[in-house]
Amino acid sequence: MTSPQQPPEPHDHEHSHSHSHGPAAPVSRHLRRVIAAILIPFATAVVVGLVVLWPGGTPAHERTGVGFDRQTEQGKVVSVEHVDCKDVNAAQVPPTGDTSTPEGREAVNAQQGQCEKATVEVTTGPDTGRRFVEIVQPDAPRQLHEGQGVVVAYAPDAPHDLQYSVTDVNRKVPLAVLAGIFALAVVVVGRMRGVMALIALAVSFLVLTYFILPAILQGSNPLVVAVVGSSAIMLIALYMCHGLSARTSVAVLGTLISLLLIGLLGSLFIGWASLSGNTDDNTGLIHGLYPEIDMSGLLLAGIIIGSLGVLDDVTVTQTSVVWELHQADPGMGPRGLYRAGIRIGRDHIASVVNTLVLAYAGAALPLLLLFSIAQSSMGTVANSELVAEEIVRTLVGSIGLVASVPLTTGLAALVVSADRPASGGGKPAAVRGGRRRRAK
């Protein structure tokens, strides 16, 4: 065996673990041309789609003052004092004194407790320095304390003393610290790959913020926008993180075909199940502000975008598995590579599908609790549009993930087995006693 400190002669051999220190051997020129013939038109179509659909910005509208559609400024709690809730009329007890309803009980409890009388100062906007009073009931989920940063809503049509109110707390500092810890962990563990992953993540957010969302608001078809935007994110993220290689190109092809399958299945079952995509206050507000938006198309776009991140992980992993298997045993044919890769892929499928289902269940946990409180049957729960949307989202995405494993594994096995670099004389490297020829 050649010492790792000395470059081997052309006829020498080295241990099969040498591939772990670098990328896989380059594929033949013919294969590179075939892959380029597929991916270059696809990338060109994505660029054309970005140019054609690129929005001029988010369309302006008159604020409704409802939900997230409110004018907000930053504020700071200057002082907090405890007062009797009766003195500030924090709650109105029903005239009949009826406490049999939840509202009546809450009103009585509020009047019997100690409320917080917070003085809040506006720190941004044209009314900087203006102060107002916010009353916080003792059973309120959010309590205020002196020096706390808050988000205040501004209602210009309200009476002067009621124009400002606290709508949320300012969480910028803890979120920024958490993001910094995340970035540090990624860079420390991933090193240069971690840095490139963070850059790709930033690019993904830019595409989402400056292309996908404004384009949908401008009235473009949500499905077309999602496909173009997701494809752009996929190309940038995969090639930036994993390099411009045949291995990455196979992962891109596997991801693209799987996304198309998810789009077709999502479109079919959203229409079949008569899902409108307008199921809660937020989607209702969007539909009210921009009635031209196709809400069912928006639902499908969300399924595609939500599946992309997990798909990238599956396709890149399966492609790398096949490439590494080929380098460990260059004499293994496409069938053997596929069988070995799919065995690993089955474990991947089990963990990824479980992760996806639990992620959606965790996000919908409050809703599921409400159904449990109402003692609704599983059939009734599943039939409601709000839950049916999540079921379709989860199952369509999971089918795409499951399909991506054999699809990508098969593509990778075919491509890497067809690789015959010219320097190898057109013959595969022989394997003898666990040794192989050095890849050119």
Side-chain angles (χ1 to χ4, degrees):
M1 180 180 297
T2 303
S3 171
Q5 283 79 21
Q6 298 175 353
E9 296 298 326
H11 60 275
D12 287 342
H13 298 80
E14 65 176 357
H15 195 273
S16 61
H17 287 293
S18 64
H19 69 271
S20 63
H21 301 289
V27 297
S28 62
R29 180 175 299 179
H30 173 69
L31 269 182
R32 287 200 300 269
R33 287 176 177 173
V34 172
I35 293 173
I38 298 173
L39 289 179
I40 289 178
F42 168 61
T44 303
V46 171
V47 173
V48 171
L50 288 172
V51 173
V52 172
L53 297 173
W54 193 267
T58 303
H61 71 278
E62 185 176 350
R63 291 187 179 273
T64 63
V66 178
F68 290 103
D69 192 40
R70 290 180 288 185
Q71 180 179 340
T72 59
E73 301 290 349
Q74 299 298 313
K76 182 179 180 180
V77 179
V78 178
S79 63
V80 176
E81 62 176 303
H82 295 277
V83 296
D84 196 321
C85 291
K86 290 182 179 180
D87 297 336
V88 292
N89 294 321
Q92 297 294 327
V93 179
T96 60
D98 182 16
T99 59
S100 61
T101 63
E103 295 81 3
R105 287 193 296 271
E106 289 178 5
V108 170
N109 292 336
Q111 283 215 343
Q112 292 175 349
Q114 289 285 313
C115 290
E116 290 182 347
K117 183 179 180 181
T119 301
V120 182
E121 180 177 320
V122 181
T123 57
T124 61
D127 291 331
T128 299
R130 178 174 168 179
R131 296 188 176 188
F132 65 94
V133 173
E134 182 82 9
I135 302 299
V136 182
Q137 296 185 12
D139 59 348
R142 180 179 60 244
Q143 301 293 317
L144 302 178
H145 59 265
E146 186 174 336
Q148 183 178 25
V150 293
V151 179
V152 298
Y154 175 61
D157 297 333
H160 184 270
D161 293 340
L162 301 177
Q163 287 182 332
Y164 281 95
S165 61
V166 175
T167 184
D168 210 341
V169 298
N170 191 327
R171 303 181 180 89
K172 291 181 180 179
V173 173
L175 292 180
V177 171
L178 181 59
I181 295 173
F182 163 73
L184 181 62
V186 171
V187 172
V188 168
V189 177
R191 298 186 180 180
M192 196 61 198
R193 284 286 182 90
V195 173
M196 298 307 294
L198 291 176
I199 295 175
L201 179 62
V203 172
S204 299
F205 274 109
L206 290 175
V207 173
L208 182 66
T209 304
Y210 291 99
F211 172 70
I212 295 178
L213 299 180
I216 291 175
L217 290 177
Q218 277 197 344
S220 298
N221 187 296
L223 176 58
V224 176
V225 172
V227 169
V228 173
S230 298
S231 299
I233 292 173
M234 175 184 64
L235 289 171
I236 294 171
L238 288 181
Y239 282 117
M240 185 175 289
C241 294
H242 305 286
L244 191 64
S245 65
R247 177 192 294 188
T248 307
S249 299
V250 171
V252 168
L253 286 174
T255 305
L256 172 62
I257 298 173
S258 301
L259 280 179
L260 292 176
L261 175 62
I262 289 173
L264 291 174
L265 286 175
S267 179
L268 171 64
F269 283 96
I270 286 174
W272 193 3
S274 300
L275 299 178
S276 66
N278 188 1
T279 54
D280 56 24
D281 293 339
N282 293 328
T283 54
L285 179 59
I286 293 172
H287 184 64
L289 294 174
Y290 300 96
E292 68 278 4
I293 293 180
D294 178 9
M295 299 303 294
S296 60
L298 187 62
L299 172 61
L300 180 56
I303 294 175
I304 293 174
I305 295 172
S307 302
L308 176 62
V310 188
L311 267 179
D312 286 353
D313 172 53
V314 173
T315 56
V316 169
T317 300
Q318 288 305 117
T319 304
S320 297
V321 163
V322 173
W323 239 263
E324 294 300 319
L325 287 170
H326 176 70
Q327 286 207 295
D329 185 0
M332 188 182 297
R335 182 173 297 180
L337 287 172
Y338 177 81
R339 288 176 176 173
I342 204 67
R343 285 196 293 269
I344 299 173
R346 291 190 184 105
D347 292 334
H348 206 181
I349 288 173
S351 60
V352 167
V353 169
N354 196 45
T355 299
L356 190 64
V357 171
L358 290 179
Y360 282 125
L365 196 58
L367 176 65
L368 297 178
L369 282 174
L370 288 177
F371 280 110
S372 179
I373 292 171
Q375 297 182 346
S376 301
S377 66
M378 289 302 296
T380 302
V381 172
N383 190 66
S384 66
E385 184 170 1
L386 198 56
V387 176
E389 278 190 5
E390 298 304 323
I391 292 176
V392 171
R393 190 193 310 271
T394 302
L395 296 184
V396 167
S398 297
I399 291 171
L401 291 175
V402 171
S404 71
V405 172
L407 174 64
T408 308
T409 305
L411 281 174
L414 290 174
V415 169
V416 78
S417 298
D419 175 23
R420 297 292 182 266
S423 58
K427 297 180 180 180
V431 180
R432 294 289 185 272
R435 297 174 181 269
R436 65 176 178 84
R437 294 190 183 278
R438 185 177 182 85
K440 300 294 182 183

